[in-house]
Amino acid sequence: MATIQLYSLGSPNGIKIPIALEEMGLDYDVHPVDILKGEQHNDDFKKINPNSKIPALVDLNGPGNSSHSIMESGAILLYLAEKSGKLMYQDPVLRSETIQWLFFQSSAVGPMFGAFGHFHTYSKDACDHPYPEERFANETKRLLKIIDERLENQDFIVGDEYSIADISIFPWVIWLDVFYNASEQLSLKSFTHLMQWLDVCKNRPATIRGFDVFGFSEIGKT
């Protein structure tokens, strides 16, 4: 048994952690959580994450050599970066910027992209009013523009190195295109700096291995 136990599935947040673990070279076991069957509400899982969300992680060799549970994808990425000493800057300014962009993803990209995907893809029959989809499409495009402008003069979200800031964001952009089928509606290709960055991120060997954990090994070829 590996010391790191991952509870997750193939979602924009869930896929980040195997990608990071592959980049960091940390051994881990995967426990798929079928949210369609409500497994996230099982008592055993709620002991790991009382909020009943994936991903969640248990480090059997955590601080003080004791078992340690972590919830929230951003918190997990930060914990693993500190544990491994990888994908996180030591420079205090760049470290601060990395954490800021983790929060940007958690507070803006995830909720807004996810809400757009819900109304665009999954709730057509439940809500025929155009306002919700238009509202979240506009906000999604605003956030894409922020990321695109950020990448205009640099290769990665923070500094000149790939970090957990990149891993926290790029799966959500993939979901807009491949799983929400919204590339044309959002004019994704017009965000040229973002698309160049996305191509680099999704074709990294660790990304391909991470996606393969949940059967998405072809994602880098889309």
PDB file of all heavy atoms in Angstrom, residues 78 81 87-105 150 157-159 161 163-166 168-169:
ATOM      1  N   LEU A  78      -1.227  22.300  -2.648  1.00  0.00           N
ATOM      2  CA  LEU A  78      -0.251  23.013  -1.818  1.00  0.00           C
ATOM      3  C   LEU A  78       0.440  22.054  -0.853  1.00  0.00           C
ATOM      4  O   LEU A  78       1.666  22.104  -0.672  1.00  0.00           O
ATOM      5  CB  LEU A  78      -0.950  24.134  -1.056  1.00  0.00           C
ATOM      6  CG  LEU A  78      -0.065  25.031  -0.186  1.00  0.00           C
ATOM      7  CD1 LEU A  78       1.043  25.672  -1.011  1.00  0.00           C
ATOM      8  CD2 LEU A  78      -0.915  26.103   0.499  1.00  0.00           C
ATOM      9  N   ALA A  81       2.909  19.888  -2.812  1.00  0.00           N
ATOM     10  CA  ALA A  81       4.076  20.666  -3.239  1.00  0.00           C
ATOM     11  C   ALA A  81       5.046  20.857  -2.084  1.00  0.00           C
ATOM     12  O   ALA A  81       6.272  20.744  -2.245  1.00  0.00           O
ATOM     13  CB  ALA A  81       3.623  22.017  -3.796  1.00  0.00           C
ATOM     14  N   LEU A  87       7.207  21.811  -7.764  1.00  0.00           N
ATOM     15  CA  LEU A  87       6.102  22.586  -8.344  1.00  0.00           C
ATOM     16  C   LEU A  87       5.673  23.766  -7.481  1.00  0.00           C
ATOM     17  O   LEU A  87       4.556  24.267  -7.605  1.00  0.00           O
ATOM     18  CB  LEU A  87       4.887  21.692  -8.635  1.00  0.00           C
ATOM     19  CG  LEU A  87       5.125  20.522  -9.586  1.00  0.00           C
ATOM     20  CD1 LEU A  87       3.827  19.731  -9.768  1.00  0.00           C
ATOM     21  CD2 LEU A  87       5.639  20.995 -10.931  1.00  0.00           C
ATOM     22  N   MET A  88       6.560  24.215  -6.610  1.00  0.00           N
ATOM     23  CA  MET A  88       6.308  25.395  -5.786  1.00  0.00           C
ATOM     24  C   MET A  88       7.612  26.169  -5.633  1.00  0.00           C
ATOM     25  O   MET A  88       8.662  25.581  -5.357  1.00  0.00           O
ATOM     26  CB  MET A  88       5.761  25.006  -4.417  1.00  0.00           C
ATOM     27  CG  MET A  88       5.693  26.162  -3.413  1.00  0.00           C
ATOM     28  SD  MET A  88       4.692  27.552  -3.975  1.00  0.00           S
ATOM     29  CE  MET A  88       3.085  27.054  -3.376  1.00  0.00           C
ATOM     30  N   TYR A  89       7.542  27.471  -5.832  1.00  0.00           N
ATOM     31  CA  TYR A  89       8.722  28.318  -5.704  1.00  0.00           C
ATOM     32  C   TYR A  89       9.141  28.467  -4.243  1.00  0.00           C
ATOM     33  O   TYR A  89       8.297  28.497  -3.344  1.00  0.00           O
ATOM     34  CB  TYR A  89       8.430  29.704  -6.277  1.00  0.00           C
ATOM     35  CG  TYR A  89       8.285  29.745  -7.777  1.00  0.00           C
ATOM     36  CD1 TYR A  89       7.025  29.694  -8.369  1.00  0.00           C
ATOM     37  CD2 TYR A  89       9.402  29.845  -8.595  1.00  0.00           C
ATOM     38  CE1 TYR A  89       6.881  29.748  -9.746  1.00  0.00           C
ATOM     39  CE2 TYR A  89       9.268  29.901  -9.977  1.00  0.00           C
ATOM     40  CZ  TYR A  89       8.008  29.849 -10.546  1.00  0.00           C
ATOM     41  OH  TYR A  89       7.869  29.897 -11.914  1.00  0.00           O
ATOM     42  N   GLN A  90      10.433  28.606  -4.039  1.00  0.00           N
ATOM     43  CA  GLN A  90      10.961  28.925  -2.718  1.00  0.00           C
ATOM     44  C   GLN A  90      11.069  30.432  -2.515  1.00  0.00           C
ATOM     45  O   GLN A  90      11.005  30.912  -1.384  1.00  0.00           O
ATOM     46  CB  GLN A  90      12.334  28.270  -2.532  1.00  0.00           C
ATOM     47  CG  GLN A  90      12.298  26.750  -2.586  1.00  0.00           C
ATOM     48  CD  GLN A  90      11.349  26.150  -1.564  1.00  0.00           C
ATOM     49  OE1 GLN A  90      11.413  26.484  -0.380  1.00  0.00           O
ATOM     50  NE2 GLN A  90      10.457  25.273  -2.020  1.00  0.00           N
ATOM     51  N   ASP A  91      11.237  31.167  -3.611  1.00  0.00           N
ATOM     52  CA  ASP A  91      11.264  32.622  -3.527  1.00  0.00           C
ATOM     53  C   ASP A  91       9.948  33.116  -2.927  1.00  0.00           C
ATOM     54  O   ASP A  91       8.864  32.737  -3.397  1.00  0.00           O
ATOM     55  CB  ASP A  91      11.447  33.216  -4.924  1.00  0.00           C
ATOM     56  CG  ASP A  91      11.404  34.732  -4.915  1.00  0.00           C
ATOM     57  OD1 ASP A  91      12.439  35.359  -4.673  1.00  0.00           O
ATOM     58  OD2 ASP A  91      10.292  35.286  -5.133  1.00  0.00           O
ATOM     59  N   PRO A  92       9.991  33.953  -1.893  1.00  0.00           N
ATOM     60  CA  PRO A  92       8.756  34.333  -1.201  1.00  0.00           C
ATOM     61  C   PRO A  92       7.757  35.085  -2.072  1.00  0.00           C
ATOM     62  O   PRO A  92       6.544  34.923  -1.904  1.00  0.00           O
ATOM     63  CB  PRO A  92       9.248  35.195  -0.032  1.00  0.00           C
ATOM     64  CG  PRO A  92      10.634  35.608  -0.392  1.00  0.00           C
ATOM     65  CD  PRO A  92      11.188  34.516  -1.231  1.00  0.00           C
ATOM     66  N   VAL A  93       8.238  35.906  -3.002  1.00  0.00           N
ATOM     67  CA  VAL A  93       7.322  36.645  -3.872  1.00  0.00           C
ATOM     68  C   VAL A  93       6.624  35.697  -4.839  1.00  0.00           C
ATOM     69  O   VAL A  93       5.396  35.734  -5.009  1.00  0.00           O
ATOM     70  CB  VAL A  93       8.073  37.756  -4.637  1.00  0.00           C
ATOM     71  CG1 VAL A  93       7.151  38.406  -5.671  1.00  0.00           C
ATOM     72  CG2 VAL A  93       8.594  38.808  -3.662  1.00  0.00           C
ATOM     73  N   LEU A  94       7.394  34.820  -5.477  1.00  0.00           N
ATOM     74  CA  LEU A  94       6.812  33.873  -6.425  1.00  0.00           C
ATOM     75  C   LEU A  94       5.931  32.849  -5.712  1.00  0.00           C
ATOM     76  O   LEU A  94       4.908  32.413  -6.252  1.00  0.00           O
ATOM     77  CB  LEU A  94       7.916  33.176  -7.216  1.00  0.00           C
ATOM     78  CG  LEU A  94       8.719  34.082  -8.152  1.00  0.00           C
ATOM     79  CD1 LEU A  94       9.872  33.316  -8.779  1.00  0.00           C
ATOM     80  CD2 LEU A  94       7.823  34.679  -9.232  1.00  0.00           C
ATOM     81  N   ARG A  95       6.315  32.483  -4.507  1.00  0.00           N
ATOM     82  CA  ARG A  95       5.471  31.583  -3.718  1.00  0.00           C
ATOM     83  C   ARG A  95       4.125  32.249  -3.421  1.00  0.00           C
ATOM     84  O   ARG A  95       3.064  31.632  -3.556  1.00  0.00           O
ATOM     85  CB  ARG A  95       6.180  31.212  -2.413  1.00  0.00           C
ATOM     86  CG  ARG A  95       5.324  30.393  -1.463  1.00  0.00           C
ATOM     87  CD  ARG A  95       6.065  30.107  -0.156  1.00  0.00           C
ATOM     88  NE  ARG A  95       5.160  29.581   0.843  1.00  0.00           N
ATOM     89  CZ  ARG A  95       4.779  28.316   0.924  1.00  0.00           C
ATOM     90  NH1 ARG A  95       5.243  27.447   0.056  1.00  0.00           N
ATOM     91  NH2 ARG A  95       3.944  27.918   1.859  1.00  0.00           N
ATOM     92  N   SER A  96       4.167  33.515  -3.034  1.00  0.00           N
ATOM     93  CA  SER A  96       2.935  34.251  -2.766  1.00  0.00           C
ATOM     94  C   SER A  96       2.063  34.337  -4.014  1.00  0.00           C
ATOM     95  O   SER A  96       0.841  34.158  -3.952  1.00  0.00           O
ATOM     96  CB  SER A  96       3.267  35.655  -2.259  1.00  0.00           C
ATOM     97  OG  SER A  96       2.096  36.443  -2.139  1.00  0.00           O
ATOM     98  N   GLU A  97       2.684  34.599  -5.168  1.00  0.00           N
ATOM     99  CA  GLU A  97       1.921  34.676  -6.415  1.00  0.00           C
ATOM    100  C   GLU A  97       1.265  33.333  -6.740  1.00  0.00           C
ATOM    101  O   GLU A  97       0.116  33.284  -7.202  1.00  0.00           O
ATOM    102  CB  GLU A  97       2.827  35.112  -7.561  1.00  0.00           C
ATOM    103  CG  GLU A  97       3.238  36.572  -7.502  1.00  0.00           C
ATOM    104  CD  GLU A  97       4.013  36.997  -8.738  1.00  0.00           C
ATOM    105  OE1 GLU A  97       3.971  36.271  -9.755  1.00  0.00           O
ATOM    106  OE2 GLU A  97       4.671  38.049  -8.680  1.00  0.00           O
ATOM    107  N   THR A  98       1.993  32.253  -6.510  1.00  0.00           N
ATOM    108  CA  THR A  98       1.442  30.925  -6.777  1.00  0.00           C
ATOM    109  C   THR A  98       0.205  30.669  -5.927  1.00  0.00           C
ATOM    110  O   THR A  98      -0.825  30.184  -6.423  1.00  0.00           O
ATOM    111  CB  THR A  98       2.501  29.842  -6.499  1.00  0.00           C
ATOM    112  OG1 THR A  98       3.656  30.086  -7.302  1.00  0.00           O
ATOM    113  CG2 THR A  98       1.957  28.452  -6.815  1.00  0.00           C
ATOM    114  N   ILE A  99       0.279  31.010  -4.660  1.00  0.00           N
ATOM    115  CA  ILE A  99      -0.864  30.815  -3.765  1.00  0.00           C
ATOM    116  C   ILE A  99      -2.029  31.709  -4.183  1.00  0.00           C
ATOM    117  O   ILE A  99      -3.197  31.298  -4.140  1.00  0.00           O
ATOM    118  CB  ILE A  99      -0.449  31.072  -2.304  1.00  0.00           C
ATOM    119  CG1 ILE A  99       0.559  30.001  -1.860  1.00  0.00           C
ATOM    120  CG2 ILE A  99      -1.669  31.071  -1.382  1.00  0.00           C
ATOM    121  CD1 ILE A  99       1.176  30.256  -0.503  1.00  0.00           C
ATOM    122  N   GLN A 100      -1.726  32.932  -4.622  1.00  0.00           N
ATOM    123  CA  GLN A 100      -2.791  33.824  -5.090  1.00  0.00           C
ATOM    124  C   GLN A 100      -3.545  33.215  -6.269  1.00  0.00           C
ATOM    125  O   GLN A 100      -4.785  33.284  -6.332  1.00  0.00           O
ATOM    126  CB  GLN A 100      -2.194  35.171  -5.504  1.00  0.00           C
ATOM    127  CG  GLN A 100      -1.686  36.017  -4.349  1.00  0.00           C
ATOM    128  CD  GLN A 100      -0.989  37.266  -4.841  1.00  0.00           C
ATOM    129  OE1 GLN A 100      -1.575  38.061  -5.570  1.00  0.00           O
ATOM    130  NE2 GLN A 100       0.271  37.431  -4.462  1.00  0.00           N
ATOM    131  N   TRP A 101      -2.808  32.616  -7.203  1.00  0.00           N
ATOM    132  CA  TRP A 101      -3.471  32.028  -8.366  1.00  0.00           C
ATOM    133  C   TRP A 101      -4.207  30.736  -8.012  1.00  0.00           C
ATOM    134  O   TRP A 101      -5.204  30.389  -8.652  1.00  0.00           O
ATOM    135  CB  TRP A 101      -2.472  31.827  -9.506  1.00  0.00           C
ATOM    136  CG  TRP A 101      -2.175  33.142 -10.164  1.00  0.00           C
ATOM    137  CD1 TRP A 101      -1.174  34.021  -9.842  1.00  0.00           C
ATOM    138  CD2 TRP A 101      -2.936  33.763 -11.200  1.00  0.00           C
ATOM    139  NE1 TRP A 101      -1.261  35.141 -10.622  1.00  0.00           N
ATOM    140  CE2 TRP A 101      -2.327  35.021 -11.471  1.00  0.00           C
ATOM    141  CE3 TRP A 101      -4.050  33.391 -11.932  1.00  0.00           C
ATOM    142  CZ2 TRP A 101      -2.812  35.890 -12.441  1.00  0.00           C
ATOM    143  CZ3 TRP A 101      -4.536  34.259 -12.911  1.00  0.00           C
ATOM    144  CH2 TRP A 101      -3.926  35.486 -13.149  1.00  0.00           C
ATOM    145  N   LEU A 102      -3.748  30.034  -6.990  1.00  0.00           N
ATOM    146  CA  LEU A 102      -4.533  28.906  -6.479  1.00  0.00           C
ATOM    147  C   LEU A 102      -5.884  29.395  -5.966  1.00  0.00           C
ATOM    148  O   LEU A 102      -6.930  28.786  -6.233  1.00  0.00           O
ATOM    149  CB  LEU A 102      -3.786  28.203  -5.344  1.00  0.00           C
ATOM    150  CG  LEU A 102      -2.680  27.208  -5.680  1.00  0.00           C
ATOM    151  CD1 LEU A 102      -2.075  26.665  -4.391  1.00  0.00           C
ATOM    152  CD2 LEU A 102      -3.213  26.058  -6.527  1.00  0.00           C
ATOM    153  N   PHE A 103      -5.871  30.501  -5.235  1.00  0.00           N
ATOM    154  CA  PHE A 103      -7.114  31.068  -4.720  1.00  0.00           C
ATOM    155  C   PHE A 103      -7.982  31.598  -5.859  1.00  0.00           C
ATOM    156  O   PHE A 103      -9.213  31.496  -5.808  1.00  0.00           O
ATOM    157  CB  PHE A 103      -6.809  32.178  -3.712  1.00  0.00           C
ATOM    158  CG  PHE A 103      -6.549  31.689  -2.316  1.00  0.00           C
ATOM    159  CD1 PHE A 103      -5.416  30.948  -2.022  1.00  0.00           C
ATOM    160  CD2 PHE A 103      -7.433  31.965  -1.290  1.00  0.00           C
ATOM    161  CE1 PHE A 103      -5.169  30.486  -0.742  1.00  0.00           C
ATOM    162  CE2 PHE A 103      -7.199  31.511   0.003  1.00  0.00           C
ATOM    163  CZ  PHE A 103      -6.062  30.768   0.279  1.00  0.00           C
ATOM    164  N   PHE A 104      -7.358  32.181  -6.868  1.00  0.00           N
ATOM    165  CA  PHE A 104      -8.086  32.654  -8.050  1.00  0.00           C
ATOM    166  C   PHE A 104      -8.849  31.502  -8.696  1.00  0.00           C
ATOM    167  O   PHE A 104     -10.020  31.633  -9.058  1.00  0.00           O
ATOM    168  CB  PHE A 104      -7.091  33.267  -9.037  1.00  0.00           C
ATOM    169  CG  PHE A 104      -7.648  33.558 -10.402  1.00  0.00           C
ATOM    170  CD1 PHE A 104      -8.430  34.677 -10.626  1.00  0.00           C
ATOM    171  CD2 PHE A 104      -7.364  32.721 -11.476  1.00  0.00           C
ATOM    172  CE1 PHE A 104      -8.936  34.959 -11.896  1.00  0.00           C
ATOM    173  CE2 PHE A 104      -7.859  32.988 -12.746  1.00  0.00           C
ATOM    174  CZ  PHE A 104      -8.650  34.107 -12.955  1.00  0.00           C
ATOM    175  N   GLN A 105      -8.188  30.365  -8.822  1.00  0.00           N
ATOM    176  CA  GLN A 105      -8.872  29.206  -9.394  1.00  0.00           C
ATOM    177  C   GLN A 105     -10.016  28.746  -8.493  1.00  0.00           C
ATOM    178  O   GLN A 105     -11.121  28.479  -8.973  1.00  0.00           O
ATOM    179  CB  GLN A 105      -7.873  28.065  -9.614  1.00  0.00           C
ATOM    180  CG  GLN A 105      -8.451  26.862 -10.341  1.00  0.00           C
ATOM    181  CD  GLN A 105      -9.298  25.971  -9.456  1.00  0.00           C
ATOM    182  OE1 GLN A 105      -8.872  25.596  -8.362  1.00  0.00           O
ATOM    183  NE2 GLN A 105     -10.490  25.624  -9.899  1.00  0.00           N
ATOM    184  N   ARG A 150      -2.402  37.244 -18.732  1.00  0.00           N
ATOM    185  CA  ARG A 150      -1.337  36.838 -17.818  1.00  0.00           C
ATOM    186  C   ARG A 150      -0.222  36.114 -18.571  1.00  0.00           C
ATOM    187  O   ARG A 150       0.962  36.247 -18.249  1.00  0.00           O
ATOM    188  CB  ARG A 150      -1.920  35.920 -16.737  1.00  0.00           C
ATOM    189  CG  ARG A 150      -0.914  35.324 -15.769  1.00  0.00           C
ATOM    190  CD  ARG A 150      -0.391  36.349 -14.800  1.00  0.00           C
ATOM    191  NE  ARG A 150       0.514  35.769 -13.824  1.00  0.00           N
ATOM    192  CZ  ARG A 150       1.114  36.465 -12.860  1.00  0.00           C
ATOM    193  NH1 ARG A 150       0.887  37.765 -12.746  1.00  0.00           N
ATOM    194  NH2 ARG A 150       1.930  35.873 -12.012  1.00  0.00           N
ATOM    195  N   ILE A 157       1.771  30.341 -15.568  1.00  0.00           N
ATOM    196  CA  ILE A 157       0.954  31.258 -14.775  1.00  0.00           C
ATOM    197  C   ILE A 157       1.807  32.096 -13.830  1.00  0.00           C
ATOM    198  O   ILE A 157       1.575  33.290 -13.643  1.00  0.00           O
ATOM    199  CB  ILE A 157      -0.112  30.477 -13.977  1.00  0.00           C
ATOM    200  CG1 ILE A 157      -1.124  29.813 -14.933  1.00  0.00           C
ATOM    201  CG2 ILE A 157      -0.839  31.391 -12.997  1.00  0.00           C
ATOM    202  CD1 ILE A 157      -1.969  30.784 -15.727  1.00  0.00           C
ATOM    203  N   VAL A 158       2.819  31.476 -13.242  1.00  0.00           N
ATOM    204  CA  VAL A 158       3.716  32.197 -12.330  1.00  0.00           C
ATOM    205  C   VAL A 158       5.157  31.982 -12.782  1.00  0.00           C
ATOM    206  O   VAL A 158       5.617  30.839 -12.881  1.00  0.00           O
ATOM    207  CB  VAL A 158       3.550  31.719 -10.874  1.00  0.00           C
ATOM    208  CG1 VAL A 158       4.543  32.442  -9.961  1.00  0.00           C
ATOM    209  CG2 VAL A 158       2.124  31.955 -10.389  1.00  0.00           C
ATOM    210  N   GLY A 159       5.849  33.067 -13.058  1.00  0.00           N
ATOM    211  CA  GLY A 159       7.262  32.979 -13.395  1.00  0.00           C
ATOM    212  C   GLY A 159       7.514  32.188 -14.663  1.00  0.00           C
ATOM    213  O   GLY A 159       6.677  32.123 -15.569  1.00  0.00           O
ATOM    214  N   GLU A 161       8.437  28.857 -14.638  1.00  0.00           N
ATOM    215  CA  GLU A 161       8.418  27.428 -14.347  1.00  0.00           C
ATOM    216  C   GLU A 161       6.982  26.938 -14.173  1.00  0.00           C
ATOM    217  O   GLU A 161       6.121  27.649 -13.647  1.00  0.00           O
ATOM    218  CB  GLU A 161       9.221  27.122 -13.073  1.00  0.00           C
ATOM    219  CG  GLU A 161      10.703  27.430 -13.182  1.00  0.00           C
ATOM    220  CD  GLU A 161      11.447  27.107 -11.900  1.00  0.00           C
ATOM    221  OE1 GLU A 161      10.833  26.503 -10.982  1.00  0.00           O
ATOM    222  OE2 GLU A 161      12.637  27.471 -11.803  1.00  0.00           O
ATOM    223  N   SER A 163       4.078  25.048 -12.425  1.00  0.00           N
ATOM    224  CA  SER A 163       3.838  24.931 -10.987  1.00  0.00           C
ATOM    225  C   SER A 163       2.420  24.443 -10.717  1.00  0.00           C
ATOM    226  O   SER A 163       1.623  24.220 -11.636  1.00  0.00           O
ATOM    227  CB  SER A 163       4.051  26.290 -10.301  1.00  0.00           C
ATOM    228  OG  SER A 163       2.974  27.170 -10.601  1.00  0.00           O
ATOM    229  N   ILE A 164       2.102  24.314  -9.441  1.00  0.00           N
ATOM    230  CA  ILE A 164       0.751  23.903  -9.070  1.00  0.00           C
ATOM    231  C   ILE A 164      -0.286  24.943  -9.489  1.00  0.00           C
ATOM    232  O   ILE A 164      -1.474  24.611  -9.606  1.00  0.00           O
ATOM    233  CB  ILE A 164       0.634  23.606  -7.562  1.00  0.00           C
ATOM    234  CG1 ILE A 164       1.078  24.803  -6.717  1.00  0.00           C
ATOM    235  CG2 ILE A 164       1.418  22.351  -7.201  1.00  0.00           C
ATOM    236  CD1 ILE A 164       0.832  24.618  -5.219  1.00  0.00           C
ATOM    237  N   ALA A 165       0.131  26.179  -9.740  1.00  0.00           N
ATOM    238  CA  ALA A 165      -0.814  27.179 -10.247  1.00  0.00           C
ATOM    239  C   ALA A 165      -1.336  26.766 -11.622  1.00  0.00           C
ATOM    240  O   ALA A 165      -2.534  26.889 -11.910  1.00  0.00           O
ATOM    241  CB  ALA A 165      -0.150  28.551 -10.317  1.00  0.00           C
ATOM    242  N   ASP A 166      -0.447  26.274 -12.477  1.00  0.00           N
ATOM    243  CA  ASP A 166      -0.857  25.803 -13.802  1.00  0.00           C
ATOM    244  C   ASP A 166      -1.773  24.587 -13.687  1.00  0.00           C
ATOM    245  O   ASP A 166      -2.818  24.510 -14.354  1.00  0.00           O
ATOM    246  CB  ASP A 166       0.377  25.447 -14.635  1.00  0.00           C
ATOM    247  CG  ASP A 166       1.314  26.620 -14.816  1.00  0.00           C
ATOM    248  OD1 ASP A 166       1.004  27.506 -15.627  1.00  0.00           O
ATOM    249  OD2 ASP A 166       2.355  26.653 -14.127  1.00  0.00           O
ATOM    250  N   SER A 168      -3.680  23.752 -11.338  1.00  0.00           N
ATOM    251  CA  SER A 168      -4.988  24.067 -10.761  1.00  0.00           C
ATOM    252  C   SER A 168      -5.964  24.600 -11.802  1.00  0.00           C
ATOM    253  O   SER A 168      -7.183  24.439 -11.660  1.00  0.00           O
ATOM    254  CB  SER A 168      -4.837  25.088  -9.622  1.00  0.00           C
ATOM    255  OG  SER A 168      -4.560  26.382 -10.118  1.00  0.00           O
ATOM    256  N   ILE A 169      -5.441  25.214 -12.872  1.00  0.00           N
ATOM    257  CA  ILE A 169      -6.301  25.917 -13.825  1.00  0.00           C
ATOM    258  C   ILE A 169      -6.535  25.161 -15.124  1.00  0.00           C
ATOM    259  O   ILE A 169      -7.671  25.092 -15.620  1.00  0.00           O
ATOM    260  CB  ILE A 169      -5.713  27.309 -14.134  1.00  0.00           C
ATOM    261  CG1 ILE A 169      -5.718  28.181 -12.868  1.00  0.00           C
ATOM    262  CG2 ILE A 169      -6.485  28.002 -15.257  1.00  0.00           C
ATOM    263  CD1 ILE A 169      -4.974  29.498 -13.015  1.00  0.00           C
TER     264      ILE A 169
END
